[in-house]
Short mmCIF file of all heavy atoms in Angstrom, two decimals:
data_model
loop_
_atom_site.label_atom_id
_atom_site.label_comp_id
_atom_site.label_asym_id
_atom_site.label_seq_id
_atom_site.Cartn_x
_atom_site.Cartn_y
_atom_site.Cartn_z
N VAL A 12 6.40 -15.91 38.99
CA VAL A 12 6.82 -17.12 39.66
C VAL A 12 8.15 -16.86 40.35
O VAL A 12 9.09 -16.33 39.76
CB VAL A 12 6.97 -18.30 38.65
CG1 VAL A 12 7.48 -19.54 39.36
CG2 VAL A 12 5.66 -18.54 38.00
N SER A 13 8.25 -17.24 41.63
CA SER A 13 9.44 -17.00 42.40
C SER A 13 9.77 -18.27 43.20
O SER A 13 9.11 -18.53 44.22
CB SER A 13 9.31 -15.83 43.31
OG SER A 13 10.43 -15.64 44.14
N GLY A 14 10.67 -19.10 42.67
CA GLY A 14 10.93 -20.34 43.37
C GLY A 14 9.75 -21.26 43.33
O GLY A 14 9.02 -21.30 42.38
N GLY A 15 9.53 -22.01 44.44
CA GLY A 15 8.50 -22.99 44.45
C GLY A 15 7.13 -22.46 44.83
O GLY A 15 6.16 -23.20 44.76
N ASP A 16 7.06 -21.19 45.28
CA ASP A 16 5.75 -20.74 45.79
C ASP A 16 4.98 -19.92 44.78
O ASP A 16 3.89 -19.42 45.09
CB ASP A 16 5.95 -19.90 47.07
CG ASP A 16 6.63 -18.58 46.82
OD1 ASP A 16 6.99 -18.29 45.65
OD2 ASP A 16 6.82 -17.82 47.80
N ALA A 17 5.46 -19.82 43.52
CA ALA A 17 4.72 -19.21 42.45
C ALA A 17 4.32 -17.78 42.75
O ALA A 17 3.31 -17.29 42.29
CB ALA A 17 3.47 -20.03 42.07
N GLY A 18 5.03 -17.11 43.58
CA GLY A 18 4.70 -15.69 43.89
C GLY A 18 3.58 -15.57 44.86
O GLY A 18 3.13 -14.46 45.13
N VAL A 19 3.07 -16.65 45.41
CA VAL A 19 1.99 -16.62 46.40
C VAL A 19 2.61 -16.48 47.79
O VAL A 19 3.40 -17.33 48.21
CB VAL A 19 1.10 -17.88 46.33
CG1 VAL A 19 -0.03 -17.77 47.33
CG2 VAL A 19 0.54 -18.04 44.92
N PRO A 20 2.28 -15.44 48.58
CA PRO A 20 2.92 -15.26 49.88
C PRO A 20 2.73 -16.45 50.79
O PRO A 20 1.64 -17.06 50.82
CB PRO A 20 2.17 -14.00 50.40
CG PRO A 20 1.67 -13.31 49.20
CD PRO A 20 1.37 -14.40 48.21
N GLU A 21 3.74 -16.79 51.49
CA GLU A 21 3.67 -17.94 52.42
C GLU A 21 2.66 -17.70 53.50
O GLU A 21 1.90 -18.59 53.91
CB GLU A 21 5.06 -18.17 53.04
CG GLU A 21 5.09 -19.36 54.01
CD GLU A 21 4.93 -20.69 53.28
OE1 GLU A 21 5.37 -20.81 52.14
OE2 GLU A 21 4.30 -21.61 53.90
N ASN A 22 2.59 -16.45 54.02
CA ASN A 22 1.68 -16.12 55.11
C ASN A 22 0.62 -15.14 54.65
O ASN A 22 0.45 -14.07 55.15
CB ASN A 22 2.48 -15.53 56.29
CG ASN A 22 3.46 -16.51 56.87
OD1 ASN A 22 3.10 -17.67 57.13
ND2 ASN A 22 4.70 -16.10 57.00
N ARG A 23 -0.10 -15.52 53.59
CA ARG A 23 -1.10 -14.65 53.03
C ARG A 23 -2.16 -14.33 54.09
O ARG A 23 -2.61 -15.19 54.83
CB ARG A 23 -1.76 -15.31 51.84
CG ARG A 23 -2.87 -14.47 51.22
CD ARG A 23 -3.55 -15.20 50.08
NE ARG A 23 -2.60 -15.46 49.04
CZ ARG A 23 -2.70 -16.48 48.15
NH1 ARG A 23 -3.70 -17.31 48.29
NH2 ARG A 23 -1.81 -16.63 47.24
N ASN A 24 -2.54 -13.06 54.13
CA ASN A 24 -3.52 -12.61 55.09
C ASN A 24 -4.86 -13.37 54.90
O ASN A 24 -5.46 -13.32 53.84
CB ASN A 24 -3.74 -11.13 54.92
CG ASN A 24 -4.58 -10.52 56.01
OD1 ASN A 24 -5.70 -10.89 56.20
ND2 ASN A 24 -4.01 -9.56 56.72
N ASP A 25 -5.30 -14.09 55.93
CA ASP A 25 -6.54 -14.88 55.82
C ASP A 25 -7.76 -14.01 55.56
O ASP A 25 -8.67 -14.37 54.85
CB ASP A 25 -6.75 -15.72 57.10
CG ASP A 25 -5.78 -16.86 57.18
OD1 ASP A 25 -5.23 -17.26 56.16
OD2 ASP A 25 -5.58 -17.35 58.31
N GLN A 26 -7.72 -12.82 56.13
CA GLN A 26 -8.87 -11.90 55.94
C GLN A 26 -8.97 -11.48 54.49
O GLN A 26 -10.04 -11.40 53.93
CB GLN A 26 -8.75 -10.68 56.86
CG GLN A 26 -9.97 -9.74 56.74
CD GLN A 26 -9.90 -8.60 57.74
OE1 GLN A 26 -8.96 -8.49 58.48
NE2 GLN A 26 -10.92 -7.76 57.71
N GLU A 27 -7.84 -11.18 53.88
CA GLU A 27 -7.82 -10.81 52.46
C GLU A 27 -8.36 -11.93 51.61
O GLU A 27 -9.15 -11.73 50.70
CB GLU A 27 -6.37 -10.47 52.05
CG GLU A 27 -6.23 -10.08 50.58
CD GLU A 27 -4.79 -9.88 50.19
OE1 GLU A 27 -4.03 -10.86 50.22
OE2 GLU A 27 -4.41 -8.73 49.87
N ARG A 28 -7.92 -13.15 51.91
CA ARG A 28 -8.38 -14.30 51.17
C ARG A 28 -9.88 -14.55 51.33
O ARG A 28 -10.54 -15.01 50.42
CB ARG A 28 -7.62 -15.57 51.66
CG ARG A 28 -7.97 -16.84 50.92
CD ARG A 28 -7.18 -18.01 51.52
NE ARG A 28 -7.47 -19.27 50.85
CZ ARG A 28 -6.85 -19.72 49.80
NH1 ARG A 28 -5.93 -18.96 49.22
NH2 ARG A 28 -7.18 -20.86 49.25
N ASN A 29 -10.39 -14.17 52.46
CA ASN A 29 -11.82 -14.37 52.77
C ASN A 29 -12.71 -13.22 52.25
O ASN A 29 -13.94 -13.29 52.38
CB ASN A 29 -12.02 -14.52 54.28
CG ASN A 29 -13.38 -15.05 54.64
OD1 ASN A 29 -13.77 -16.14 54.19
ND2 ASN A 29 -14.10 -14.30 55.46
N THR A 30 -12.11 -12.19 51.71
CA THR A 30 -12.88 -11.00 51.27
C THR A 30 -13.36 -11.20 49.85
O THR A 30 -12.61 -11.56 48.96
CB THR A 30 -12.05 -9.72 51.37
OG1 THR A 30 -11.60 -9.53 52.71
CG2 THR A 30 -12.86 -8.51 50.93
N ILE A 31 -14.65 -10.92 49.64
CA ILE A 31 -15.27 -11.00 48.32
C ILE A 31 -15.84 -9.67 47.93
O ILE A 31 -16.53 -9.04 48.73
CB ILE A 31 -16.35 -12.08 48.27
CG1 ILE A 31 -15.79 -13.49 48.54
CG2 ILE A 31 -17.09 -12.08 46.94
CD1 ILE A 31 -16.85 -14.60 48.57
N LEU A 32 -15.56 -9.26 46.71
CA LEU A 32 -16.19 -8.05 46.17
C LEU A 32 -17.38 -8.46 45.31
O LEU A 32 -17.25 -9.27 44.37
CB LEU A 32 -15.16 -7.29 45.28
CG LEU A 32 -15.72 -6.19 44.40
CD1 LEU A 32 -16.39 -5.07 45.26
CD2 LEU A 32 -14.62 -5.61 43.50
N ASP A 33 -18.55 -7.92 45.63
CA ASP A 33 -19.75 -8.11 44.84
C ASP A 33 -19.85 -6.90 43.92
O ASP A 33 -20.27 -5.82 44.35
CB ASP A 33 -20.96 -8.22 45.74
CG ASP A 33 -22.25 -8.60 44.98
OD1 ASP A 33 -22.18 -8.74 43.75
OD2 ASP A 33 -23.30 -8.74 45.65
N LEU A 34 -19.52 -7.08 42.64
CA LEU A 34 -19.43 -5.98 41.68
C LEU A 34 -20.77 -5.85 40.94
O LEU A 34 -21.21 -6.74 40.22
CB LEU A 34 -18.34 -6.29 40.67
CG LEU A 34 -17.82 -5.14 39.79
CD1 LEU A 34 -17.33 -3.98 40.59
CD2 LEU A 34 -16.73 -5.65 38.86
N GLY A 35 -21.45 -4.72 41.16
CA GLY A 35 -22.81 -4.54 40.68
C GLY A 35 -23.77 -5.17 41.64
O GLY A 35 -24.65 -5.96 41.30
N CYS A 36 -23.62 -4.81 42.92
CA CYS A 36 -24.33 -5.52 44.04
C CYS A 36 -25.79 -5.17 44.11
O CYS A 36 -26.57 -5.84 44.80
CB CYS A 36 -23.65 -5.22 45.34
SG CYS A 36 -23.68 -3.47 45.83
N GLY A 37 -26.22 -4.06 43.47
CA GLY A 37 -27.65 -3.68 43.53
C GLY A 37 -28.11 -3.42 44.94
O GLY A 37 -27.47 -2.68 45.70
N THR A 38 -29.23 -4.03 45.32
CA THR A 38 -29.77 -3.81 46.66
C THR A 38 -29.19 -4.72 47.71
O THR A 38 -29.67 -4.75 48.85
CB THR A 38 -31.32 -4.00 46.63
OG1 THR A 38 -31.62 -5.36 46.24
CG2 THR A 38 -31.97 -3.04 45.66
N GLY A 39 -28.13 -5.45 47.36
CA GLY A 39 -27.35 -6.17 48.32
C GLY A 39 -27.92 -7.48 48.83
O GLY A 39 -27.45 -8.05 49.82
N THR A 40 -28.88 -8.08 48.12
CA THR A 40 -29.43 -9.34 48.58
C THR A 40 -28.43 -10.44 48.59
O THR A 40 -28.23 -11.15 49.60
CB THR A 40 -30.65 -9.74 47.69
OG1 THR A 40 -31.64 -8.73 47.74
CG2 THR A 40 -31.25 -11.06 48.19
N LEU A 41 -27.70 -10.61 47.47
CA LEU A 41 -26.66 -11.65 47.40
C LEU A 41 -25.51 -11.30 48.33
O LEU A 41 -24.94 -12.19 48.98
CB LEU A 41 -26.17 -11.79 45.96
CG LEU A 41 -25.06 -12.84 45.76
CD1 LEU A 41 -25.60 -14.24 46.02
CD2 LEU A 41 -24.50 -12.74 44.34
N THR A 42 -25.17 -10.05 48.43
CA THR A 42 -24.07 -9.58 49.29
C THR A 42 -24.35 -10.03 50.73
O THR A 42 -23.46 -10.52 51.43
CB THR A 42 -23.92 -8.07 49.23
OG1 THR A 42 -24.18 -7.60 47.91
CG2 THR A 42 -22.53 -7.64 49.66
N GLU A 43 -25.59 -9.85 51.17
CA GLU A 43 -25.94 -10.24 52.53
C GLU A 43 -25.88 -11.74 52.72
O GLU A 43 -25.42 -12.23 53.77
CB GLU A 43 -27.35 -9.72 52.86
CG GLU A 43 -27.44 -8.22 52.98
CD GLU A 43 -27.96 -7.78 54.35
OE1 GLU A 43 -28.61 -8.56 55.00
OE2 GLU A 43 -27.65 -6.63 54.72
N LEU A 44 -26.32 -12.50 51.74
CA LEU A 44 -26.28 -13.97 51.87
C LEU A 44 -24.86 -14.45 52.02
O LEU A 44 -24.58 -15.34 52.85
CB LEU A 44 -26.94 -14.59 50.63
CG LEU A 44 -28.45 -14.48 50.51
CD1 LEU A 44 -28.95 -14.98 49.17
CD2 LEU A 44 -29.16 -15.23 51.64
N LEU A 45 -23.94 -13.91 51.22
CA LEU A 45 -22.53 -14.33 51.33
C LEU A 45 -21.96 -13.87 52.65
O LEU A 45 -21.15 -14.60 53.28
CB LEU A 45 -21.75 -13.72 50.17
CG LEU A 45 -22.01 -14.38 48.81
CD1 LEU A 45 -21.44 -13.54 47.65
CD2 LEU A 45 -21.45 -15.80 48.75
N ALA A 46 -22.34 -12.69 53.13
CA ALA A 46 -21.86 -12.19 54.43
C ALA A 46 -22.31 -13.14 55.56
O ALA A 46 -21.58 -13.39 56.50
CB ALA A 46 -22.33 -10.77 54.66
N ARG A 47 -23.54 -13.63 55.49
CA ARG A 47 -24.07 -14.52 56.50
C ARG A 47 -23.30 -15.83 56.53
O ARG A 47 -23.28 -16.51 57.58
CB ARG A 47 -25.55 -14.79 56.25
CG ARG A 47 -26.45 -13.61 56.51
CD ARG A 47 -27.91 -13.93 56.27
NE ARG A 47 -28.74 -12.76 56.38
CZ ARG A 47 -29.18 -12.21 57.51
NH1 ARG A 47 -28.81 -12.75 58.67
NH2 ARG A 47 -29.93 -11.12 57.49
N LEU A 48 -22.65 -16.19 55.45
CA LEU A 48 -21.86 -17.41 55.37
C LEU A 48 -20.44 -17.20 55.93
O LEU A 48 -19.65 -18.12 55.97
CB LEU A 48 -21.79 -17.95 53.95
CG LEU A 48 -23.10 -18.45 53.38
CD1 LEU A 48 -22.93 -18.88 51.91
CD2 LEU A 48 -23.65 -19.63 54.19
N GLY A 49 -20.15 -15.96 56.34
CA GLY A 49 -18.85 -15.69 56.94
C GLY A 49 -17.84 -14.98 56.07
O GLY A 49 -16.70 -14.73 56.52
N TYR A 50 -18.20 -14.66 54.82
CA TYR A 50 -17.28 -13.93 53.99
C TYR A 50 -17.28 -12.47 54.37
O TYR A 50 -18.31 -11.89 54.76
CB TYR A 50 -17.67 -14.07 52.53
CG TYR A 50 -17.54 -15.45 51.97
CD1 TYR A 50 -18.62 -16.31 51.81
CD2 TYR A 50 -16.27 -15.95 51.59
CE1 TYR A 50 -18.48 -17.60 51.29
CE2 TYR A 50 -16.14 -17.25 51.07
CZ TYR A 50 -17.26 -18.06 50.93
OH TYR A 50 -17.10 -19.32 50.43
N ASP A 51 -16.12 -11.81 54.25
CA ASP A 51 -16.04 -10.37 54.40
C ASP A 51 -16.41 -9.73 53.07
O ASP A 51 -15.74 -9.93 52.10
CB ASP A 51 -14.61 -9.98 54.81
CG ASP A 51 -14.17 -10.56 56.15
OD1 ASP A 51 -14.99 -10.50 57.06
OD2 ASP A 51 -13.04 -11.06 56.26
N MET A 52 -17.50 -8.97 53.11
CA MET A 52 -18.09 -8.49 51.85
C MET A 52 -17.89 -7.02 51.59
O MET A 52 -17.98 -6.19 52.49
CB MET A 52 -19.58 -8.81 51.83
CG MET A 52 -19.93 -10.31 51.85
SD MET A 52 -19.20 -11.25 50.48
CE MET A 52 -19.85 -10.37 49.05
N ILE A 53 -17.60 -6.72 50.31
CA ILE A 53 -17.61 -5.37 49.77
C ILE A 53 -18.60 -5.37 48.62
O ILE A 53 -18.58 -6.28 47.79
CB ILE A 53 -16.24 -4.95 49.27
CG1 ILE A 53 -15.18 -5.04 50.39
CG2 ILE A 53 -16.29 -3.54 48.70
CD1 ILE A 53 -13.75 -4.82 49.89
N GLY A 54 -19.47 -4.38 48.60
CA GLY A 54 -20.43 -4.24 47.50
C GLY A 54 -20.18 -2.92 46.76
O GLY A 54 -20.08 -1.88 47.37
#
């Protein structure tokens, strides 16, 4: 915690916030569905 912003950057990178890691993604079916919704995906 740092002041009123609780350690959360004021200008957090939107792309980082939008990135989702699919851990144990298998053949990527769910990964693709989330990507189609606009998330930046890592499997």
Side-chain angles (χ1 to χ4, degrees):
V12 178
S13 175
D16 68 0
V19 181
E21 180 68 33
N22 298 311
R23 179 183 297 154
N24 189 300
D25 288 339
Q26 183 175 1
E27 179 185 66
R28 182 182 179 88
N29 194 57
T30 301
I31 296 178
L32 168 63
D33 186 359
L34 195 57
C36 63
T38 62
T40 301
L41 179 66
T42 324
E43 291 239 337
L44 288 172
L45 288 167
R47 289 181 187 281
L48 293 177
Y50 293 102
D51 297 316
M52 295 303 302
I53 302 171

